[in-house]
């Protein structure tokens, strides 16, 4: 008797989108002899182990196995750790993060709220006695101490387990030391709240006071016996957490770092290396001005190294600002209509590249990730992101094959992670002096399908698009269309990578032509492209329509049957589509939609729409629940399914409920699918599987298609 193979939705959910078993989170030893990384044991195993690759011999060994360390016991995560994982969209288990000393000989990590250290050369791991639950442990650069956070206190312990002590303890329940506040972790890309000095004798430490932040309640109506969770949520236009920064010694003596916090309240980035004084990037609340400050760690005084201003907003970028080994400032800037890399006062790239991140800085060059600039972009470059070496002599591309690439580097060893359209998953190569020497195996499952995808551009604005047809489709019969966008800031969906299109391909195989369009606001083309949505998110919808109508001239699309689905910003876009353009869209699925932007967080929303009190028209125009939001040209009311997790603390379920109430009051039919116990991500296997199946059923019913 043969076993029926699992469906794609079940396998997609069980493998967490075919990411389980893939190596990730790489660290390269300064001498290039070792590469440290995380990987689970199979494509369905959520528990990551800590691994070490010997780059000379090619041998791998496990440095820390979570099951062995816990003796088979299940993990017990604190609310603080669950919140950290929600902010980082972490769905794995076991060892989900680690930090190392400078020599990459010692690693520390938290497991089930307990503190562990691993000797990376010996491949042994041990528990260090520490009060828990432990969060974000990080060894000192010299490997003699580990600093960590427990119950809002920043603590330090010797790596042999001796002399555990608190360096700073919270003065009230609203105060924490050494942790990132909500908007830093959710929106700024800063997930940590303390940084070791290169000499290992002191730290920079953030103090977060949530007192000014409004309190919201997250309840689980399916379990009325449980108390609601009270959480601080900084909604647009309301108070943010107060963030201060201190230099603190191992004896607990502290010195406050001084800057104009009233003018620049956001602590966006901290860098402390042996190349120079600690660097801070602080932003004004309107994000139109920011300062790069150097800190005197003895006095806490700061001096301005660089200042930026922009009429719309200033973006934040991974890896910068930082010092080069020679003491020059490395930054990414919008200059001359392009996003460029600057070292010192000199831009080293121009309009040919759209720089995305700084990956490593050496004495000889800067390693960056970038896509083609606006002038160089075209069908051939659509969706590609490459790794480049840049210095005064020019630009050299490190990644060769078309696709999406990232890298980690130390010394002459680079770990290159590459995803392409013609190969499932990602390939991890170890390069020495730019030449491949090793490959880090992946245990991820093969999806068993290859997307039938065409990357192109659509409309007068050359919107990047992906068009997917059913794999068994060989005719010219026009197909019903499913638009499958994210469509918003930070959310590029049109990428030259195989696994990114798997869900879209599965929907295509149900009888749809699936179109993914990255309109204005999405990253990857030019600063002007990204900033066009300032004060008006609805331009994203205009670009979806323009791309769709243009693609229909070249592809067999049935424009009389068009649906749209999306999650988060994409959920808002799907709701907007059926409400504002029922002449184009005939059904929509809005997953975890932001329906009222005054309910979303400060740093994200105010960047794009401004302060609600100063720009009420921007919020009204982009809202789904105002009279303007529900207004549309005369026409039929289109079917809309609203899906929302009741435990979502990022886009709270009030968004869906307010939309449903407004639709009901306006006499508009709709469906609501509440997901009990589900947050903004849906890691639960059965929920994730059935969610896909229910969406297909809704789309077929709404568009009048057979369900056979």
């Amino acid at each position: 008797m043969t076993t029926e193979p699992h469906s794609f939705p079940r396998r997609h959910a069980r493998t967490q989108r075919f990411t389980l078993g893939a190596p990730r989170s790489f660290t390269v030893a300064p001498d290039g002899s070792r590469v440290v990384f995380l990987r689970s044991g199979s494509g369905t195993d959520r528990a990551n182990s800590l691994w070490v690759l010997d780059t000379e011999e090619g041998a791998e060994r496990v440095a820390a196995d979570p099951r062995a360390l816990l003796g088979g016991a299940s993990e017990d995560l604190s609310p603080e750790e669950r919140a950290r994982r929600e902010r980082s969209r972490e769905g794995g288990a076991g060892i989900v993060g680690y930090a190392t000393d400078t020599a990459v000989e010692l690693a520390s990590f938290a497991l089930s709220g307990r503190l562990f250290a691993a000797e990376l050369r010996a491949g042994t791991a041990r528990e260090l006695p520490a009060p828990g639950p432990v969060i974000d442990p990080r060894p000192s650069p010299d490997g003699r101490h580990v600093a960590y956070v427990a119950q809002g206190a920043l603590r330090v312990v010797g790596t042999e387990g001796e002399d555990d002590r608190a360096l700073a303890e919270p003065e009230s329940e609203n105060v924490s030391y050494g942790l990132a506040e909500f908007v830093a972790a959710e929106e700024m890309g800063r997930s940590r709240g303390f940084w070791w000095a290169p000499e290992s004798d002191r730290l920079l430490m953030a103090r977060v006071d949530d007192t000014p932040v409004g309190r919201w309640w997250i309840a689980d109506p399916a379990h009325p016996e449980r108390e609601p969770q009270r959480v601080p949520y900084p909604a647009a236009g309301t108070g943010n957490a107060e963030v201060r920064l201190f230099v603190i010694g191992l004896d607990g003596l502290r010195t406050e770092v001084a800057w104009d916090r009233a003018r620049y309240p956001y602590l966006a980035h901290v860098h402390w290396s042996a190349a120079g004084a600690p660097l801070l990037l602080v932003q004004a609340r309107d994000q139109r001005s920011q300062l790069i400050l150097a800190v005197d760690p003895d006095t806490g005084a700061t001096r301005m190294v660089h200042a930026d201003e922009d009429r719309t907003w200033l973006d934040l970028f991974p890896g910068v600002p930082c010092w080069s080994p020679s003491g020059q400032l490395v930054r990414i800037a919008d200059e001359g209509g392009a996003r460029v890399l600057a070292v010192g006062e000199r831009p080293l790239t121009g309009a040919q590249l759209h720089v995305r991140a700084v990956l490593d800085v050496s004495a000889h060059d800067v390693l960056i990730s970038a896509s083609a600039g606006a002038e160089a972009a075209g069908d051939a470059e659509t969706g590609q992101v490459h790794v480049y070496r840049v210095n005064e002599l020019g630009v050299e591309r490190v990644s060769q094959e078309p696709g999406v690439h990232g890298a980690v580097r130390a010394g002459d060893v680079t770990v290159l992670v590459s995803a392409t359209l013609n190969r499932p998953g990602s390939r991890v190569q170890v390069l020495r002096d730019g030449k491949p020497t090793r490959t880090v195996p992946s245990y991820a499952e093969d999806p068993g399908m290859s997307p039938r995808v065409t990357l192109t551009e659509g409309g007068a604005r050359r919107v990047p698009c992906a068009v997917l047809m059913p794999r068994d489709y060989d005719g010219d019969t026009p197909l019903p269309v499913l638009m499958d966008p994210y469509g918003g800031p930070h959310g590029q969906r049109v990428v030259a990578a195989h696994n990114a299109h798997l869900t879209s391909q599965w929907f295509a195989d149900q009888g749809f032509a699936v179109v993914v369009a990255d309109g204005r606001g999405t990253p990857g083309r030019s600063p002007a492209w990204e900033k066009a949505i300032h004060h008006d998110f609805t331009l994203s919808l205009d670009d979806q329509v323009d791309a769709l109508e243009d693609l229909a001239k070249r592809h067999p699309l049935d424009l009389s049957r068009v649906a749209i689905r999306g999650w988060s910003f994409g959920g808002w876009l799907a709701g907007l589509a059926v409400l504002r353009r029922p002449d184009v869209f005939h059904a929509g699925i809005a997953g975890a939609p932001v329906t009222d932007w005054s309910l979303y967080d400060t740093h994200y929303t105010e960047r794009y729409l401004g302060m609600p009190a100063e720009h009420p028209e921007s919020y009204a125009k982009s809202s789904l629940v105002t009279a303007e939001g529900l207004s549309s040209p005369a026409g039929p009311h289109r079917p809309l399914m609203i899906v929302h997790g009741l435990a979502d603390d990022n886009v709270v379920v009030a968004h869906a409920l307010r939309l449903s109430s407004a639709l009901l009051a306006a006499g508009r039919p709709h469906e609501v699918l509440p997901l009990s116990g589900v947050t903004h991500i849906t890691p639960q296997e059965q929920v994730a599987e059935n969610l896909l199946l229910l969406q297909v059923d809704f789309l077929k019913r709404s568009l009048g298609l057979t369900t056979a």
Side-chain angles (χ1 to χ4, degrees):
M1 178 174 146
T2 59
T3 302
E4 184 70 21
H6 289 305
S7 66
F8 171 82
R10 172 60 63 92
R11 294 183 65 227
H12 186 258
R14 180 166 294 180
T15 61
Q16 292 190 0
R17 304 171 304 282
F18 300 97
T19 61
L20 298 180
R24 63 184 180 100
S25 304
F26 299 94
T27 304
V28 181
D31 62 3
S33 64
R34 295 177 307 286
V35 174
V36 185
F37 60 96
L38 299 177
R39 184 178 58 199
S40 64
S42 73
T44 56
D45 181 10
R46 294 178 60 241
N48 291 287
S49 295
L50 186 66
W51 293 77
V52 178
L53 168 69
D54 185 314
T55 59
E56 294 292 338
E57 298 180 359
E60 292 181 358
R61 63 179 181 275
V62 177
D65 180 343
R67 292 183 176 88
L69 293 174
L70 293 180
S74 59
E75 289 186 74
D76 181 18
L77 301 181
S78 67
E80 294 82 4
E81 179 62 21
R82 292 185 187 278
R84 278 172 53 84
R85 297 189 185 193
E86 184 69 21
R87 302 285 73 78
S88 62
R89 309 298 188 261
E90 174 61 67
I95 304 169
V96 299
Y98 68 96
T100 71
D101 60 356
T102 299
V104 192
E105 295 193 355
L106 180 81
S108 64
F109 55 91
L111 189 59
S112 197
R114 294 153 55 185
L115 175 59
F116 292 88
E119 301 285 352
L120 298 174
R121 285 187 185 272
T124 57
R126 64 186 186 279
E127 183 173 4
L128 301 180
V134 170
I135 296 174
D136 195 26
R138 294 178 178 271
S140 57
D142 64 8
R144 297 176 58 189
H145 298 90
V146 176
Y148 64 96
V149 178
Q151 298 179 4
L154 180 64
R155 305 183 66 90
V156 67
V157 63
T159 50
E160 298 302 321
E162 77 282 7
D163 197 19
D164 180 274
R165 60 199 182 276
L167 299 182
E169 296 184 274
E171 296 84 2
S172 73
E173 65 177 2
N174 295 335
V175 173
S176 65
Y177 285 96
L179 295 176
E181 73 277 20
F182 178 94
V183 291
E186 182 68 38
E187 309 298 359
M188 300 182 207
R190 178 171 66 78
S191 60
R192 56 192 293 194
F194 68 89
W195 301 263
W196 278 100
E199 300 81 13
S200 302
D201 59 342
R202 48 191 168 179
L203 305 97
L204 276 169
M205 169 188 70
R207 178 189 187 271
V208 173
D209 185 351
D210 275 331
T211 302
V213 182
R215 264 43 182 183
W216 286 4
W217 298 91
I218 307 295
D220 185 355
H223 292 278
E225 75 280 3
R226 296 178 184 172
E227 287 192 6
Q229 181 185 1
R230 187 170 182 256
V231 298
Y233 191 91
T238 70
N240 273 310
E242 179 187 78
V243 180
R244 297 161 65 187
L245 194 66
F246 295 85
V247 179
I248 189 163
L250 296 183
D251 56 3
L253 293 178
R254 68 175 77 172
T255 302
E256 183 162 8
V257 177
W259 78 91
D260 186 354
R261 291 190 296 109
R263 177 73 182 91
Y264 300 96
Y266 287 131
L267 177 64
H269 184 78
V270 177
H271 167 79
W272 200 353
S273 71
L279 282 178
L280 313 181
L281 175 60
V282 295
Q283 276 193 333
R285 177 148 180 175
D286 65 10
Q287 300 170 63
R288 295 183 184 183
S289 62
Q290 63 187 26
L291 302 178
I292 300 174
L293 304 173
V295 180
D296 182 336
D298 294 324
T299 66
T302 57
R303 62 178 174 86
M304 188 178 73
V305 178
H306 186 82
D308 287 303
E309 291 188 357
D310 192 281
R311 289 182 299 174
T312 50
W313 71 73
L314 291 158
D315 279 304
L316 302 173
F317 307 103
V320 288
C322 67
W323 295 119
S324 73
S326 63
Q328 290 186 293
L329 181 67
V330 181
R331 60 191 178 90
I332 297 172
D334 293 348
E335 295 182 1
R339 183 153 294 156
V340 301
L341 171 72
V343 177
E345 294 303 316
R346 180 182 175 187
L348 296 187
T349 61
Q352 79 278 12
L353 290 182
H354 184 77
V355 180
R356 293 167 173 258
V358 167
L359 307 174
D360 182 59
V361 182
S362 74
H364 308 291
D365 59 36
V366 180
L367 196 70
I368 66 170
S369 67
S371 47
E375 297 305 317
D379 281 10
E381 295 291 331
T382 297
Q384 295 194 45
V385 181
H386 285 280
V387 175
Y388 298 85
R389 293 176 58 241
V390 182
N391 57 26
E392 292 83 358
L393 300 178
V395 176
E396 176 189 356
R397 200 167 95 178
V398 176
S399 51
Q400 296 303 319
E401 58 185 343
V404 178
H405 307 266
V408 175
R409 183 179 73 173
D412 62 355
V413 169
T414 301
V415 176
L416 181 67
V417 183
S418 303
T420 67
L421 278 175
N422 58 9
R423 183 178 60 237
S426 296
R427 181 173 67 181
V428 179
Q429 293 177 291
V430 178
L431 314 180
R432 189 179 290 275
D433 293 325
K435 299 180 177 59
T437 61
R438 306 288 178 196
T439 299
V440 182
S442 173
Y443 302 154
E445 285 195 6
D446 189 320
M449 71 161 71
S450 293
R452 181 175 174 174
V453 58
T454 300
L455 298 184
T456 183
E457 295 178 337
R461 298 184 190 90
R462 297 166 48 214
V463 173
C465 296
V467 181
L468 296 99
M469 292 295 185
R471 286 174 294 160
D472 61 357
Y473 178 74
D474 293 318
D476 297 323
T477 303
L479 294 175
V481 182
L482 175 62
M483 303 291 286
D484 193 15
Y486 178 76
H490 308 305
Q492 183 179 2
R493 289 266 285 111
V494 180
V495 292
H498 180 283
N499 283 25
H501 301 286
L502 290 174
T503 302
S504 295
Q505 183 61 58
W506 180 77
F507 274 101
D509 289 344
Q510 313 311 305
F512 297 93
V514 177
V515 173
V516 183
D518 282 347
R520 286 168 291 177
T522 51
R525 173 160 289 184
S526 71
W529 178 267
E530 296 176 11
K531 296 176 182 180
I533 60 171
H534 195 220
H535 291 311
D536 188 1
F537 278 151
T538 66
L539 296 181
S540 304
L541 178 59
D542 297 340
D543 291 347
Q544 296 290 315
V545 174
D546 291 347
L548 172 67
E549 293 176 345
D550 182 52
L551 291 173
K553 301 172 185 176
R554 293 174 274 143
H555 298 274
L557 308 182
D558 181 357
L559 296 188
S560 69
R561 296 182 294 179
V562 178
I564 183 170
R565 67 181 286 269
W567 195 266
S568 197
F569 189 100
W572 166 83
L573 187 56
L576 187 77
V578 296
L579 293 175
R580 302 276 180 93
R581 295 301 304 270
D583 56 319
V584 176
F585 298 94
H586 307 94
I589 299 173
V594 182
T595 66
D596 181 350
W597 287 99
S598 67
L599 290 181
Y600 201 58
D601 71 51
T602 52
H603 193 270
Y604 183 100
T605 314
E606 293 165 11
R607 180 191 315 147
Y608 305 117
L609 299 182
M611 295 290 280
E614 297 172 8
H615 299 279
E617 72 289 346
S618 297
Y619 283 78
K621 186 173 184 180
S622 297
S623 172
L624 300 185
V625 299
T626 61
E628 183 176 357
L630 289 172
S631 65
S632 64
H637 295 166
R638 300 303 191 184
L640 175 63
M641 173 187 277
I642 306 167
V643 185
H644 216 119
L646 299 181
D648 196 334
D649 68 350
N650 179 21
V651 182
V652 295
V653 73
H655 286 275
L657 297 178
R658 289 189 182 187
L659 176 58
S660 178
S661 295
L663 292 171
L664 187 62
R668 291 176 175 266
H670 61 283
E671 299 180 19
V672 178
L673 180 60
L675 306 176
S676 178
V678 172
T679 61
H680 201 57
I681 55 177
T682 53
Q684 297 91 333
E685 183 178 313
Q686 287 184 316
V687 172
E689 174 190 17
N690 289 326
L691 194 52
L692 288 178
L693 297 172
L694 288 169
Q695 288 181 65
V696 167
D697 177 70
F698 171 81
L699 293 171
K700 289 187 173 183
R701 283 190 287 112
S702 300
L703 297 180
L705 307 176
T706 61
T707 57

